[in-house]
Amino acid sequence: MPAVLGADLEVPVKGGRLVGYANLDYAASAPCLEPVSAAVTAALPAYSSVHRGAGYASQLTTARYEQARHTVRAFVGARPDDAVIFTRNTTDATNLLARCLPAGTTTVVFDTEHHASLLPWEKSVRLAPPAFPGEAVRAADAALAGIDGPKLLVVTAASNVTGELWPIAALAHVAHRHGARILVDAAQLVPHRRLNLTALDLDYVAFSGHKLYAPFGAGVLVGRRDWLADGDPYLKGGGAVRSVGDDTEWHDDPEPRHEAGTPNVLGAIALAAACDALTATGWTALVREEERLIARLRSGLASIEGVRELSLWGDDHPRVGIVSFTVAGYSAREVAEVLSGEYGIGVRDGKFCAHPFVRHLLGEADGGCEDGTASAVRASIGIGSTQEHVDRLVEAVRDLVNR
Ligand SMILES: Cc1ncc(COP(=O)(O)O)c(C=O)c1O
């Protein structure tokens, strides 16, 4: 396994003691991988402008930036002619696609989505959380059948609330049967599982570097060129234009068209380095270790009275390393504060920017993102997570419940 930076971080707990930090908040932002940091450090001495300079450093930096594009394309198994557009994050990527949809496009989206995939669409049909995976496919099928004109199905590959995997291959199949396209929000999938856009027949995927161990401010949208080539340039300015005179001639190649201004070169290099590091480590080893730890965490939490894990499709449905839960008698914020302040454990609490979904899972009224009502605690793991971290969380929650 590659090393992560900060594995030896110590944090203060009640009484002033320092303890090793148990980072169980990977789904929010994962720590930086050592090879990612090394790639950025190696690129810095020659750091220069891209696409514009004749100088050697500029040419080298341009080559590194374009190589990053190829690496990301290969990482997600994209088709050779797919566009790979560097963005700030997943939210930026979904918004970019939203602005490029053909006029009149109807988007079909489940209420289970993260706000980044739920909100950018001008015209959308919202579907209730499905009771089982086949119901998701059936509901998408029925909704798409009733729509005329261009249509886009948007779905997350792995839920940021429950970690559960969605049937994206079946959903892609249904979308295409109705002449629709599919955008997969892979923000929580790519840090945990291999994604092959071509094999799954997906039209677009979006994800963020900071969740993929590359916290340098880049994300990506990968997918079919035509809508992106026709859409209004995302930012208007240098780099997006071929020529400016009385008329402006915009690039019709989606990559320059939507990457105006000086791009986040180091972010792209970091993202590509993370892709390379995960591929080199091998998915079998990554998945095996994650499944071992998440099974231990889930069974530990399940053994504590008053702890309820949130799940849409039941205990046995496959999931990535994310577990959300509630603790009877305590608000999620109280639990998170005790875990941090007394045990040196970092988790997330709230509604995880998926308000309709968390509300559905908890069956309570919406209380706003930071409100203690209708919220849960989320523990999430990845490379660098240890059995000690998992056990510390379980024992801390047990102690809390027994107070
Ligand atoms: C499934 C999912 N989609 C989208 C996002 C948004 O990612 P970002 O904040 O990097 O834009 C997140 C972040 O939590 C997420 O979990």
Side-chain angles (χ1 to χ4, degrees):
M1 292 282 164
V4 294
L5 301 190
D8 52 1
L9 179 67
E10 295 201 315
V11 295
V13 292
K14 204 166 146 186
R17 235 173 4 108
L18 285 177
V19 299
Y21 186 52
N23 182 353
L24 292 171
D25 198 14
Y26 279 56
S29 271
C32 185
L33 281 183
E34 196 281 325
V36 169
S37 159
V40 170
T41 303
L44 276 171
Y47 177 77
S48 191
S49 65
V50 292
H51 299 144
R52 323 227 204 290
Y56 183 80
S58 180
Q59 290 186 32
L60 183 57
T61 302
T62 301
R64 286 179 168 151
Y65 184 64
E66 291 306 323
Q67 178 55 43
R69 220 187 282 284
H70 290 305
T71 301
V72 171
R73 177 179 285 115
F75 180 72
V76 296
R79 296 158 289 252
D81 57 343
D82 278 330
V84 177
I85 301 173
F86 286 113
T87 61
R88 286 176 292 192
N89 46 40
T90 308
T91 307
D92 203 31
T94 54
N95 276 272
L96 164 58
L97 184 62
R99 292 219 216 144
C100 293
L101 298 181
T105 298
T106 306
T107 302
V108 174
V109 63
F110 288 91
D111 265 349
T112 46
E113 289 301 314
H114 187 282
H115 296 166
S117 293
L118 187 70
L119 300 179
W121 320 109
E122 205 164 278
K123 189 171 151 201
S124 59
V125 172
R126 297 254 296 257
L127 304 180
F132 52 94
E135 170 62 16
V137 179
R138 194 209 56 77
D141 190 12
L144 290 165
I147 296 168
D148 291 326
K151 32 198 160 180
L152 175 73
L153 176 63
V154 179
V155 68
T156 191
S159 165
N160 68 310
V161 179
T162 64
E164 289 166 305
L165 294 169
W166 277 62
I168 51 176
L171 288 166
H173 181 72
V174 156
H176 294 148
R177 197 147 50 74
H178 292 290
R181 291 188 179 183
I182 183 168
L183 161 65
V184 165
D185 174 344
Q188 300 293 355
L189 184 77
V190 289
H192 303 280
R193 296 287 187 281
R194 195 164 92 88
L195 173 70
N196 190 307
L197 181 152
T198 306
L200 292 164
D201 200 14
L202 309 179
D203 299 293
Y204 304 95
V205 300
F207 58 94
S208 302
H210 72 100
K211 294 182 194 293
L212 191 68
Y213 310 97
F216 289 85
V220 73
L221 176 69
V222 182
R224 299 196 186 276
R225 284 182 173 261
D226 50 354
W227 288 0
L228 295 166
D230 291 343
D232 226 18
Y234 195 45
L235 295 172
K236 291 183 176 155
V241 279
R242 263 195 233 285
S243 70
V244 182
D246 290 340
D247 291 324
T248 304
E249 198 195 330
W250 300 100
H251 271 292
D252 48 19
D253 178 349
E255 289 155 3
R257 186 179 181 85
H258 296 297
E259 288 183 2
T262 300
N264 178 358
V265 178
L266 295 176
I269 289 171
L271 185 49
C275 295
D276 279 340
L278 295 191
T279 305
T281 306
W283 290 104
T284 310
L286 286 168
V287 171
R288 192 189 309 121
E289 177 60 0
E290 177 179 306
E291 290 199 326
R292 184 181 77 79
L293 290 178
I294 206 71
R296 191 175 175 95
L297 176 54
R298 293 180 68 215
S299 67
L301 290 173
S303 71
I304 306 170
E305 212 182 312
V307 172
R308 175 162 83 91
E309 183 186 338
L310 304 189
S311 165
L312 184 62
W313 291 331
D315 283 352
D316 296 335
H317 189 78
R319 64 197 69 216
V320 298
I322 296 175
V323 179
S324 293
F325 59 96
T326 56
V327 181
Y330 293 92
S331 73
R333 175 46 58 97
E334 284 167 338
V335 176
E337 283 178 354
V338 167
L339 292 173
S340 172
E342 300 182 26
Y343 300 89
I345 299 169
V347 292
R348 174 92 191 266
D349 67 287
K351 287 201 238 321
F352 321 122
C353 294
H355 290 194
F357 188 29
V358 172
R359 215 159 52 221
H360 169 81
L361 292 170
L362 293 172
E364 291 173 32
D366 188 1
C369 219
E370 301 308 324
D371 190 312
T373 64
S375 58
V377 180
R378 182 180 71 190
S380 49
I381 61 170
I383 297 171
S385 299
T386 66
Q387 189 163 308
E388 189 278 319
H389 293 168
V390 164
D391 291 351
R392 200 191 315 173
L393 174 71
V394 171
E395 290 321 310
V397 174
R398 200 187 304 285
D399 284 352
L400 180 64
V401 167
N402 291 334
R403 278 183 190 177

mmCIF file of all heavy atoms in Angstrom, residues 84-118:
data_model
loop_
_atom_site.group_PDB
_atom_site.id
_atom_site.type_symbol
_atom_site.label_atom_id
_atom_site.label_comp_id
_atom_site.label_asym_id
_atom_site.label_seq_id
_atom_site.Cartn_x
_atom_site.Cartn_y
_atom_site.Cartn_z
ATOM 1 N N VAL A 84 -11.549 14.751 -21.778
ATOM 2 C CA VAL A 84 -11.150 14.720 -20.360
ATOM 3 C C VAL A 84 -10.923 16.181 -19.974
ATOM 4 O O VAL A 84 -9.930 16.787 -20.378
ATOM 5 C CB VAL A 84 -9.859 13.904 -20.152
ATOM 6 C CG1 VAL A 84 -9.428 13.960 -18.691
ATOM 7 C CG2 VAL A 84 -10.058 12.451 -20.591
ATOM 8 N N ILE A 85 -11.866 16.735 -19.250
ATOM 9 C CA ILE A 85 -11.789 18.169 -18.920
ATOM 10 C C ILE A 85 -11.471 18.312 -17.444
ATOM 11 O O ILE A 85 -12.206 17.796 -16.578
ATOM 12 C CB ILE A 85 -13.113 18.881 -19.257
ATOM 13 C CG1 ILE A 85 -13.412 18.711 -20.746
ATOM 14 C CG2 ILE A 85 -13.045 20.357 -18.881
ATOM 15 C CD1 ILE A 85 -14.765 19.229 -21.161
ATOM 16 N N PHE A 86 -10.378 18.994 -17.134
ATOM 17 C CA PHE A 86 -10.051 19.222 -15.728
ATOM 18 C C PHE A 86 -10.937 20.348 -15.180
ATOM 19 O O PHE A 86 -11.117 21.390 -15.823
ATOM 20 C CB PHE A 86 -8.567 19.558 -15.561
ATOM 21 C CG PHE A 86 -7.697 18.340 -15.737
ATOM 22 C CD1 PHE A 86 -6.833 18.232 -16.817
ATOM 23 C CD2 PHE A 86 -7.773 17.281 -14.835
ATOM 24 C CE1 PHE A 86 -6.047 17.101 -16.987
ATOM 25 C CE2 PHE A 86 -6.987 16.142 -14.996
ATOM 26 C CZ PHE A 86 -6.127 16.050 -16.071
ATOM 27 N N THR A 87 -11.476 20.071 -14.007
ATOM 28 C CA THR A 87 -12.388 21.013 -13.346
ATOM 29 C C THR A 87 -11.846 21.250 -11.935
ATOM 30 O O THR A 87 -10.772 20.763 -11.592
ATOM 31 C CB THR A 87 -13.805 20.400 -13.252
ATOM 32 O OG1 THR A 87 -13.730 19.200 -12.459
ATOM 33 C CG2 THR A 87 -14.360 20.057 -14.624
ATOM 34 N N ARG A 88 -12.615 21.951 -11.117
ATOM 35 C CA ARG A 88 -12.168 22.133 -9.728
ATOM 36 C C ARG A 88 -12.480 20.910 -8.880
ATOM 37 O O ARG A 88 -11.743 20.568 -7.970
ATOM 38 C CB ARG A 88 -12.857 23.357 -9.110
ATOM 39 C CG ARG A 88 -12.293 24.662 -9.635
ATOM 40 C CD ARG A 88 -13.053 25.836 -9.083
ATOM 41 N NE ARG A 88 -14.424 25.861 -9.612
ATOM 42 C CZ ARG A 88 -15.242 26.881 -9.486
ATOM 43 N NH1 ARG A 88 -14.860 27.951 -8.830
ATOM 44 N NH2 ARG A 88 -16.454 26.847 -10.001
ATOM 45 N N ASN A 89 -13.615 20.271 -9.161
ATOM 46 C CA ASN A 89 -14.077 19.163 -8.316
ATOM 47 C C ASN A 89 -15.284 18.519 -9.002
ATOM 48 O O ASN A 89 -15.619 18.887 -10.139
ATOM 49 C CB ASN A 89 -14.440 19.668 -6.907
ATOM 50 C CG ASN A 89 -15.292 20.932 -6.963
ATOM 51 O OD1 ASN A 89 -16.184 21.049 -7.796
ATOM 52 N ND2 ASN A 89 -15.014 21.888 -6.100
ATOM 53 N N THR A 90 -15.955 17.621 -8.329
ATOM 54 C CA THR A 90 -17.122 16.958 -8.925
ATOM 55 C C THR A 90 -18.249 17.962 -9.166
ATOM 56 O O THR A 90 -18.931 17.923 -10.198
ATOM 57 C CB THR A 90 -17.626 15.836 -7.983
ATOM 58 O OG1 THR A 90 -16.534 14.995 -7.645
ATOM 59 C CG2 THR A 90 -18.723 15.019 -8.632
ATOM 60 N N THR A 91 -18.457 18.841 -8.204
ATOM 61 C CA THR A 91 -19.531 19.835 -8.324
ATOM 62 C C THR A 91 -19.322 20.685 -9.574
ATOM 63 O O THR A 91 -20.265 20.964 -10.330
ATOM 64 C CB THR A 91 -19.544 20.745 -7.077
ATOM 65 O OG1 THR A 91 -19.595 19.923 -5.910
ATOM 66 C CG2 THR A 91 -20.720 21.687 -7.082
ATOM 67 N N ASP A 92 -18.082 21.076 -9.798
ATOM 68 C CA ASP A 92 -17.751 21.871 -10.979
ATOM 69 C C ASP A 92 -18.012 21.057 -12.249
ATOM 70 O O ASP A 92 -18.510 21.590 -13.246
ATOM 71 C CB ASP A 92 -16.262 22.234 -10.881
ATOM 72 C CG ASP A 92 -15.898 23.461 -11.676
ATOM 73 O OD1 ASP A 92 -16.745 24.358 -11.834
ATOM 74 O OD2 ASP A 92 -14.739 23.528 -12.130
ATOM 75 N N ALA A 93 -17.715 19.772 -12.195
ATOM 76 C CA ALA A 93 -17.879 18.911 -13.371
ATOM 77 C C ALA A 93 -19.357 18.713 -13.711
ATOM 78 O O ALA A 93 -19.743 18.777 -14.889
ATOM 79 C CB ALA A 93 -17.205 17.562 -13.114
ATOM 80 N N THR A 94 -20.191 18.498 -12.689
ATOM 81 C CA THR A 94 -21.620 18.306 -12.982
ATOM 82 C C THR A 94 -22.229 19.619 -13.494
ATOM 83 O O THR A 94 -23.066 19.618 -14.394
ATOM 84 C CB THR A 94 -22.396 17.804 -11.746
ATOM 85 O OG1 THR A 94 -22.178 18.686 -10.651
ATOM 86 C CG2 THR A 94 -21.983 16.392 -11.366
ATOM 87 N N ASN A 95 -21.776 20.726 -12.918
ATOM 88 C CA ASN A 95 -22.286 22.023 -13.388
ATOM 89 C C ASN A 95 -21.842 22.320 -14.812
ATOM 90 O O ASN A 95 -22.590 22.912 -15.594
ATOM 91 C CB ASN A 95 -21.853 23.141 -12.436
ATOM 92 C CG ASN A 95 -22.802 23.252 -11.249
ATOM 93 O OD1 ASN A 95 -23.805 23.952 -11.311
ATOM 94 N ND2 ASN A 95 -22.521 22.510 -10.188
ATOM 95 N N LEU A 96 -20.627 21.928 -15.139
ATOM 96 C CA LEU A 96 -20.146 22.108 -16.519
ATOM 97 C C LEU A 96 -21.043 21.339 -17.488
ATOM 98 O O LEU A 96 -21.503 21.881 -18.499
ATOM 99 C CB LEU A 96 -18.686 21.628 -16.608
ATOM 100 C CG LEU A 96 -18.112 21.361 -17.990
ATOM 101 C CD1 LEU A 96 -18.187 22.591 -18.881
ATOM 102 C CD2 LEU A 96 -16.654 20.908 -17.892
ATOM 103 N N LEU A 97 -21.307 20.086 -17.163
ATOM 104 C CA LEU A 97 -22.160 19.306 -18.072
ATOM 105 C C LEU A 97 -23.563 19.914 -18.141
ATOM 106 O O LEU A 97 -24.155 19.988 -19.218
ATOM 107 C CB LEU A 97 -22.220 17.832 -17.629
ATOM 108 C CG LEU A 97 -23.016 16.939 -18.585
ATOM 109 C CD1 LEU A 97 -22.373 16.908 -19.983
ATOM 110 C CD2 LEU A 97 -23.147 15.517 -18.048
ATOM 111 N N ALA A 98 -24.063 20.367 -16.992
ATOM 112 C CA ALA A 98 -25.415 20.952 -16.970
ATOM 113 C C ALA A 98 -25.516 22.121 -17.949
ATOM 114 O O ALA A 98 -26.538 22.310 -18.605
ATOM 115 C CB ALA A 98 -25.765 21.406 -15.552
ATOM 116 N N ARG A 99 -24.446 22.900 -18.058
ATOM 117 C CA ARG A 99 -24.489 24.067 -18.954
ATOM 118 C C ARG A 99 -24.338 23.681 -20.418
ATOM 119 O O ARG A 99 -24.531 24.509 -21.296
ATOM 120 C CB ARG A 99 -23.363 25.030 -18.581
ATOM 121 C CG ARG A 99 -23.617 25.645 -17.236
ATOM 122 C CD ARG A 99 -23.216 27.093 -17.247
ATOM 123 N NE ARG A 99 -22.664 27.434 -15.958
ATOM 124 C CZ ARG A 99 -21.674 28.267 -15.779
ATOM 125 N NH1 ARG A 99 -21.101 28.848 -16.809
ATOM 126 N NH2 ARG A 99 -21.250 28.538 -14.565
ATOM 127 N N CYS A 100 -23.929 22.433 -20.658
ATOM 128 C CA CYS A 100 -23.708 22.008 -22.049
ATOM 129 C C CYS A 100 -24.834 21.138 -22.592
ATOM 130 O O CYS A 100 -24.750 20.656 -23.723
ATOM 131 C CB CYS A 100 -22.396 21.231 -22.144
ATOM 132 S SG CYS A 100 -20.958 22.254 -21.840
ATOM 133 N N LEU A 101 -25.862 20.894 -21.780
ATOM 134 C CA LEU A 101 -26.930 20.020 -22.249
ATOM 135 C C LEU A 101 -27.657 20.678 -23.421
ATOM 136 O O LEU A 101 -27.876 21.893 -23.414
ATOM 137 C CB LEU A 101 -27.935 19.757 -21.117
ATOM 138 C CG LEU A 101 -27.383 19.039 -19.878
ATOM 139 C CD1 LEU A 101 -28.493 18.837 -18.851
ATOM 140 C CD2 LEU A 101 -26.736 17.709 -20.256
ATOM 141 N N PRO A 102 -28.041 19.897 -24.420
ATOM 142 C CA PRO A 102 -28.833 20.465 -25.519
ATOM 143 C C PRO A 102 -30.106 21.116 -24.975
ATOM 144 O O PRO A 102 -30.636 20.666 -23.947
ATOM 145 C CB PRO A 102 -29.175 19.238 -26.372
ATOM 146 C CG PRO A 102 -28.172 18.195 -26.006
ATOM 147 C CD PRO A 102 -27.776 18.460 -24.588
ATOM 148 N N ALA A 103 -30.558 22.143 -25.668
ATOM 149 C CA ALA A 103 -31.756 22.871 -25.203
ATOM 150 C C ALA A 103 -32.896 21.893 -24.957
ATOM 151 O O ALA A 103 -33.129 20.978 -25.751
ATOM 152 C CB ALA A 103 -32.150 23.904 -26.255
ATOM 153 N N GLY A 104 -33.581 22.073 -23.859
ATOM 154 C CA GLY A 104 -34.769 21.268 -23.567
ATOM 155 C C GLY A 104 -34.471 19.919 -22.940
ATOM 156 O O GLY A 104 -35.387 19.110 -22.759
ATOM 157 N N THR A 105 -33.215 19.656 -22.598
ATOM 158 C CA THR A 105 -32.891 18.342 -22.006
ATOM 159 C C THR A 105 -33.587 18.174 -20.659
ATOM 160 O O THR A 105 -33.571 19.074 -19.820
ATOM 161 C CB THR A 105 -31.365 18.197 -21.794
ATOM 162 O OG1 THR A 105 -30.719 18.273 -23.063
ATOM 163 C CG2 THR A 105 -31.021 16.869 -21.123
ATOM 164 N N THR A 106 -34.191 17.008 -20.471
ATOM 165 C CA THR A 106 -34.769 16.659 -19.168
ATOM 166 C C THR A 106 -33.809 15.699 -18.472
ATOM 167 O O THR A 106 -33.356 14.724 -19.069
ATOM 168 C CB THR A 106 -36.137 15.972 -19.342
ATOM 169 O OG1 THR A 106 -36.955 16.811 -20.140
ATOM 170 C CG2 THR A 106 -36.803 15.740 -17.991
ATOM 171 N N THR A 107 -33.530 15.999 -17.221
ATOM 172 C CA THR A 107 -32.638 15.153 -16.439
ATOM 173 C C THR A 107 -33.485 14.310 -15.490
ATOM 174 O O THR A 107 -34.438 14.813 -14.892
ATOM 175 C CB THR A 107 -31.672 16.037 -15.625
ATOM 176 O OG1 THR A 107 -30.968 16.849 -16.554
ATOM 177 C CG2 THR A 107 -30.688 15.216 -14.845
ATOM 178 N N VAL A 108 -33.127 13.058 -15.363
ATOM 179 C CA VAL A 108 -33.797 12.172 -14.400
ATOM 180 C C VAL A 108 -32.793 11.878 -13.297
ATOM 181 O O VAL A 108 -31.655 11.457 -13.569
ATOM 182 C CB VAL A 108 -34.256 10.868 -15.083
ATOM 183 C CG1 VAL A 108 -34.827 9.889 -14.053
ATOM 184 C CG2 VAL A 108 -35.284 11.172 -16.164
ATOM 185 N N VAL A 109 -33.204 12.128 -12.067
ATOM 186 C CA VAL A 109 -32.263 12.016 -10.965
ATOM 187 C C VAL A 109 -32.987 11.487 -9.724
ATOM 188 O O VAL A 109 -34.141 11.829 -9.483
ATOM 189 C CB VAL A 109 -31.581 13.389 -10.719
ATOM 190 C CG1 VAL A 109 -32.548 14.456 -10.315
ATOM 191 C CG2 VAL A 109 -30.450 13.300 -9.741
ATOM 192 N N PHE A 110 -32.302 10.631 -8.985
ATOM 193 C CA PHE A 110 -32.909 10.081 -7.758
ATOM 194 C C PHE A 110 -32.690 11.042 -6.592
ATOM 195 O O PHE A 110 -31.664 11.724 -6.517
ATOM 196 C CB PHE A 110 -32.279 8.721 -7.426
ATOM 197 C CG PHE A 110 -32.695 7.625 -8.360
ATOM 198 C CD1 PHE A 110 -31.953 7.346 -9.497
ATOM 199 C CD2 PHE A 110 -33.851 6.895 -8.118
ATOM 200 C CE1 PHE A 110 -32.334 6.346 -10.377
ATOM 201 C CE2 PHE A 110 -34.245 5.885 -8.992
ATOM 202 C CZ PHE A 110 -33.478 5.612 -10.127
ATOM 203 N N ASP A 111 -33.613 11.013 -5.658
ATOM 204 C CA ASP A 111 -33.513 11.846 -4.456
ATOM 205 C C ASP A 111 -32.365 11.416 -3.545
ATOM 206 O O ASP A 111 -32.123 12.049 -2.527
ATOM 207 C CB ASP A 111 -34.825 11.757 -3.662
ATOM 208 C CG ASP A 111 -35.755 12.904 -4.001
ATOM 209 O OD1 ASP A 111 -35.297 13.852 -4.670
ATOM 210 O OD2 ASP A 111 -36.927 12.843 -3.601
ATOM 211 N N THR A 112 -31.711 10.335 -3.906
ATOM 212 C CA THR A 112 -30.599 9.831 -3.090
ATOM 213 C C THR A 112 -29.281 10.528 -3.417
ATOM 214 O O THR A 112 -28.268 10.260 -2.772
ATOM 215 C CB THR A 112 -30.418 8.337 -3.388
ATOM 216 O OG1 THR A 112 -30.465 8.166 -4.802
ATOM 217 C CG2 THR A 112 -31.509 7.510 -2.750
ATOM 218 N N GLU A 113 -29.288 11.397 -4.425
ATOM 219 C CA GLU A 113 -28.028 11.979 -4.890
ATOM 220 C C GLU A 113 -27.436 12.996 -3.918
ATOM 221 O O GLU A 113 -28.158 13.675 -3.183
ATOM 222 C CB GLU A 113 -28.253 12.681 -6.237
ATOM 223 C CG GLU A 113 -28.495 11.751 -7.391
ATOM 224 C CD GLU A 113 -27.353 10.789 -7.629
ATOM 225 O OE1 GLU A 113 -26.187 11.215 -7.630
ATOM 226 O OE2 GLU A 113 -27.625 9.587 -7.802
ATOM 227 N N HIS A 114 -26.132 13.126 -3.982
ATOM 228 C CA HIS A 114 -25.435 14.255 -3.382
ATOM 229 C C HIS A 114 -25.899 15.533 -4.096
ATOM 230 O O HIS A 114 -26.230 15.497 -5.280
ATOM 231 C CB HIS A 114 -23.932 14.049 -3.604
ATOM 232 C CG HIS A 114 -23.058 15.042 -2.914
ATOM 233 N ND1 HIS A 114 -22.866 16.311 -3.393
ATOM 234 C CD2 HIS A 114 -22.326 14.951 -1.789
ATOM 235 C CE1 HIS A 114 -22.042 16.969 -2.585
ATOM 236 N NE2 HIS A 114 -21.694 16.163 -1.605
ATOM 237 N N HIS A 115 -25.900 16.635 -3.386
ATOM 238 C CA HIS A 115 -26.400 17.876 -3.998
ATOM 239 C C HIS A 115 -25.659 18.243 -5.288
ATOM 240 O O HIS A 115 -26.227 18.888 -6.168
ATOM 241 C CB HIS A 115 -26.290 19.037 -2.998
ATOM 242 C CG HIS A 115 -27.159 18.835 -1.794
ATOM 243 N ND1 HIS A 115 -27.020 19.574 -0.644
ATOM 244 C CD2 HIS A 115 -28.166 17.963 -1.542
ATOM 245 C CE1 HIS A 115 -27.909 19.174 0.249
ATOM 246 N NE2 HIS A 115 -28.610 18.191 -0.270
ATOM 247 N N ALA A 116 -24.408 17.836 -5.397
ATOM 248 C CA ALA A 116 -23.632 18.148 -6.612
ATOM 249 C C ALA A 116 -24.257 17.534 -7.852
ATOM 250 O O ALA A 116 -24.102 18.060 -8.958
ATOM 251 C CB ALA A 116 -22.194 17.628 -6.466
ATOM 252 N N SER A 117 -24.942 16.416 -7.668
ATOM 253 C CA SER A 117 -25.573 15.743 -8.807
ATOM 254 C C SER A 117 -27.085 15.929 -8.820
ATOM 255 O O SER A 117 -27.745 15.585 -9.790
ATOM 256 C CB SER A 117 -25.256 14.240 -8.769
ATOM 257 O OG SER A 117 -23.889 14.067 -8.998
ATOM 258 N N LEU A 118 -27.603 16.490 -7.734
ATOM 259 C CA LEU A 118 -29.055 16.677 -7.617
ATOM 260 C C LEU A 118 -29.491 18.042 -8.148
ATOM 261 O O LEU A 118 -30.559 18.182 -8.729
ATOM 262 C CB LEU A 118 -29.441 16.557 -6.132
ATOM 263 C CG LEU A 118 -30.912 16.547 -5.771
ATOM 264 C CD1 LEU A 118 -31.562 15.248 -6.239
ATOM 265 C CD2 LEU A 118 -31.090 16.683 -4.251
#
